[in-house]
Amino acid sequence: MATVQQFDTILKNGRVVDPVNGTDGQFDIGIRHGKIAVVSEDIPNERGDDIIDASGQIVMPGHIDTHAHLSSPQDRNVDRSYGHPMLVESGTTTALDLAGDPTLMAEGMRRRGAGLNVATLMGLVPHMTISEDDPRPSIIRDVIADVKTRGGIGVKMLGGYHPFTPEASADVVAAANEQLAWVAFHVGSKDSSSDMTGLREVPEITGKGRLHVAHINSYTRGMIDEPHEEVNEALAMIEVMRSQWVTEAYLAQANGTNGKCDENGDVIYNVMQNCLKARGYPTTDEGVKAALLDGYGSALIERGGRVVMVTGQNAVDIWESASTDASLSFPVNPPTSAFSLATARYDDGTFKVDAISTDGGSLPRNVAIERSMALVAFGALTMGEAVTKLSYTPSRVLGLLNKGHFSEGADADVTIVNAQTGKASMSLVAGDLIMLNGRAIGKGGTWLVLDEGVAAAEASDLAYEVMNLENSKLYANWN
Ligand SMILES: [Zn+2]
């Protein structure tokens, strides 16, 4: 007697969009043991232990966010671990925590985890996570090796906040490449700023190496030239560096920054200075205060287990009670830049900017999926292209070969999107529901580590998976 395969879960009647397999139409998906078992036109209900009705909804491989914030070596008034439920509620299933600390991320995942897969980069903060602001190559090497044993996959340079010299920045790229560790760059050095002047230095800093150039849209805000001119210049640079860079851009207008001022009342961080200059405010504590009171800027605060933005006197109170060292946000990202960077293609149809990210998580701007769906509604992306930028390409970027598609045996990470609202309504990781009707219901998560981080992951009691960056686009054809 032939045995009929039984499934743990069947996703019924959704519009399944899986561009790499050429699928876009109404199908059922059978899930077994956390993996995709079959995608088929009709799977009888009796073959599933659980049935999820996805009628009228878009069923796509889970969103992989290549730029999110779930931990921070310098957490102050906002605990980044709130980003776990916030990302999950926007439909994300896997995230790269871009400037955190692996030990803190793991603690946050235990405390507030909501079922995400997370890999963490450590932010390089002088006198905090690295001993000095002009580190020698041997120091950089040791810091990167240590991050890997603590479960991180690499490091991020925070040029808009803690810039190194161009030479030390190049040393960071080289040291990370040598160890096959991830390396991301919020551009800017001691010779430049967090804008096009910073981006123009990056080809030389990259040398013959490999680099993740973070949030391209953050350098095309019109600080030096007109936004569209900056977009064109950035895209031309990306084309030249095509085989060496991975890139992402986000679709939110709101940025994230910090309002810290020195003892003279001058704004310390370059990103914050730019936010003020963009609207003609002085780069002083008085300028920050006026920008918050005018409703231009917002402060971030935890409310009900999520991070929200407040403005006006409330925001000033938060900023002052943090002695100015508070997380703030300004709507400085031009939609025109975001649109151009999200949709720019080469002649062969592949996208110039690899991925659509959030740069969110604990920042309340997790709009990658809903704004990508708006681009689909507008006709700027096909549905298949949106899924390519949200899921498939990010999976290749990170070398997560079992994600980003619904081939048999792939991880059953799924984002289900309401076709009317464009917002995620449900998601699954490894076949388990982690979000339902916009509420996070998952717990914990899966820590993505390198081989060197296995001992740390074992000791954490968290579920973990080992990544191999040799499979990543960052290190494609390396050596
Ligand atoms: Zn970021």
Side-chain angles (χ1 to χ4, degrees):
M1 197 174 86
T3 53
V4 176
Q5 199 183 15
Q6 192 69 14
F7 303 109
D8 299 322
T9 304
I10 303 173
L11 294 174
K12 291 288 292 183
N13 296 326
R15 175 182 171 188
V16 176
V17 183
D18 177 13
V20 78
N21 285 306
T23 306
D24 183 352
Q26 189 175 312
F27 291 96
D28 296 347
I29 299 180
I31 296 171
R32 264 178 90 229
H33 302 154
K35 307 286 184 193
I36 303 295
V38 68
V39 178
S40 144
E41 279 182 9
D42 184 41
I43 306 175
N45 279 2
E46 55 271 23
R47 289 181 60 193
D49 296 341
D50 289 312
I51 309 294
I52 294 176
D53 179 15
S55 305
Q57 310 214 55
I58 297 147
V59 178
M60 57 178 264
H63 173 227
I64 299 173
D65 188 353
T66 49
H67 187 154
H69 294 285
L70 297 165
S71 65
S72 167
Q74 37 186 355
D75 261 338
R76 287 165 293 224
N77 62 323
V78 172
D79 183 338
R80 306 280 169 195
S81 65
Y82 290 114
H84 285 273
M86 291 167 70
L87 267 189
V88 165
E89 288 172 354
S90 77
T92 299
T93 56
T94 297
L96 180 60
D97 173 24
L98 213 73
D101 175 275
T103 311
L104 294 174
M105 195 293 294
E107 281 170 18
M109 183 180 266
R110 273 198 299 271
R111 205 166 56 241
R112 293 207 182 87
L116 290 173
N117 309 297
V118 182
T120 292
L121 304 183
M122 187 179 75
L124 292 174
V125 182
H127 314 297
M128 189 176 285
T129 64
I130 189 161
S131 58
E132 49 205 278
D133 68 357
D134 194 12
R136 283 171 287 120
S138 63
I139 291 176
I140 297 167
R141 271 200 297 277
D142 291 350
V143 164
I144 294 170
D146 178 63
V147 168
K148 291 164 85 177
T149 62
R150 292 194 298 114
I153 69 163
V155 292
K156 180 190 184 188
M157 290 184 277
L158 299 156
Y161 296 92
H162 306 288
F164 297 123
T165 61
E167 296 72 26
S169 304
D171 289 343
V172 170
V173 175
N177 288 171
E178 203 179 282
Q179 295 185 44
L180 226 66
W182 201 266
V183 54
F185 193 10
H186 176 148
V187 312
S189 75
K190 288 187 171 174
D191 293 355
S192 69
S193 294
S194 175
D195 55 28
M196 283 306 295
T197 64
L199 191 61
R200 285 170 190 151
E201 290 181 331
V202 183
E204 200 176 327
I205 286 168
T206 311
K208 295 192 183 324
R210 302 294 173 90
L211 182 62
H212 170 177
V213 185
H215 53 37
I216 297 298
N217 55 302
S218 293
Y219 322 123
T220 58
R221 290 172 176 158
M223 299 300 295
I224 309 297
D225 298 309
E226 288 302 310
H228 71 273
E229 293 169 335
E230 296 186 347
V231 165
N232 288 340
E233 187 181 349
L235 289 172
M237 243 184 271
I238 288 168
E239 182 158 8
V240 171
M241 301 303 288
R242 192 175 177 181
S243 61
Q244 294 173 265
W245 287 357
V246 300
T247 57
E248 29 83 19
Y250 57 89
L251 294 173
Q253 278 156 278
N255 81 336
T257 188
N258 180 291
K260 192 172 181 181
C261 299
D262 66 17
E263 59 281 3
N264 301 317
D266 290 321
V267 167
I268 294 177
Y269 297 122
N270 182 232
V271 173
M272 182 67 229
Q273 292 167 0
N274 288 345
C275 294
L276 294 169
K277 284 182 201 162
R279 293 278 183 99
Y281 291 96
T283 57
T284 62
D285 51 3
E286 287 305 316
V288 175
K289 189 172 177 178
L292 295 173
L293 284 174
D294 291 349
Y296 168 45
S298 305
L300 302 179
I301 190 163
E302 182 265 323
R303 248 178 224 164
R306 306 292 183 268
V307 178
V308 299
M309 291 190 199
V310 297
T311 190
Q313 187 61 46
N314 280 343
V316 173
D317 293 345
I318 291 163
W319 171 69
E320 285 180 342
S321 67
S323 306
T324 74
D325 192 1
S327 298
L328 305 180
S329 177
F330 293 82
V332 286
N333 297 301
T336 49
S337 297
F339 179 91
S340 300
L341 293 169
T343 56
R345 299 164 178 85
Y346 294 112
D347 290 340
D348 67 3
T350 58
F351 287 100
K352 295 189 177 182
V353 176
D354 292 306
I356 293 174
S357 57
T358 64
D359 196 5
S362 52
L363 290 151
R365 52 168 172 174
N366 300 308
V367 296
I369 295 170
E370 63 181 275
R371 297 240 165 127
S372 297
M373 293 301 145
L375 292 178
V376 173
F378 192 61
L381 296 176
T382 66
M383 186 62 80
E385 286 175 332
V387 174
T388 296
K389 291 207 79 161
L390 291 166
S391 303
Y392 179 69
T393 304
S395 77
R396 304 302 104 170
V397 164
L398 292 167
L400 298 170
L401 304 184
N402 228 20
K403 300 189 187 294
H405 56 90
F406 289 144
S407 308
E408 186 184 335
D411 295 339
D413 294 0
V414 184
T415 300
I416 300 173
V417 177
N418 182 312
Q420 264 75 52
T421 63
K423 290 191 178 189
S425 58
M426 265 186 266
S427 30
L428 298 87
V429 166
D432 291 326
L433 268 179
I434 64 165
M435 189 268 276
L436 187 59
N437 300 325
R439 293 300 291 178
I441 57 171
K443 290 272 177 286
T446 300
W447 192 5
L448 304 176
V449 301
L450 302 179
D451 268 326
E452 296 90 328
V454 166
E458 294 269 0
S460 75
D461 285 335
L462 289 164
Y464 71 91
E465 261 174 50
V466 178
M467 291 174 76
N468 181 354
L469 296 183
E470 283 177 36
N471 295 329
S472 68
K473 182 178 184 235
L474 187 68
Y475 285 114
N477 307 312
W478 181 248
N479 292 329

